[in-house]
């Protein structure tokens, strides 16, 4: 039985639908990284981390490192 644990990082924009009572809803997208923890081939935990608009910041790096250490 394979009990190996893997962590997968994927650059994925997140989307948020914002409703407007005076008009149609709009979708806003943000850059981010999905961190998926897999065990025996199945995703057991997944988290999306937003990153800076132009490029990742030091705070973004520190948040990602903390999530990776916890995984």
């Amino acid at each position: 039985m394979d009990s190996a644990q893997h962590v997968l990082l994927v650059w994925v924009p997140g989307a948020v639908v914002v409703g407007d009572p005076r008009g149609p809803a709009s979708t806003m997208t943000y850059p981010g990284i999905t961190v998926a923890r897999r065990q025996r081939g199945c995703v057991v935990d997944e988290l999306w981390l937003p990153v800076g608009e132009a490029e990742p910041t030091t705070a973004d790096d520190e948040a990602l490192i903390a999530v990776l250490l916890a995984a």
Side-chain angles (χ1 to χ4, degrees):
M1 180 183 309
D2 182 16
S3 61
Q5 183 172 321
H6 304 275
V7 177
L8 176 67
L9 302 177
V10 181
W11 183 266
V12 178
V16 176
V17 177
V18 180
D20 184 349
R22 298 179 304 265
S26 61
T27 302
M28 300 175 70
T29 58
Y30 300 92
I33 297 173
T34 296
V35 181
R37 191 167 55 91
R38 298 173 58 103
Q39 202 165 31
R40 294 188 209 130
C42 298
V43 175
V44 294
D45 188 34
E46 188 172 89
L47 175 69
W48 182 78
L49 294 171
V51 297
E53 290 288 328
E55 62 184 45
T57 64
T58 300
D60 296 331
D61 293 344
E62 290 172 357
L64 180 57
I65 289 167
V67 168
L68 288 172
L69 289 173

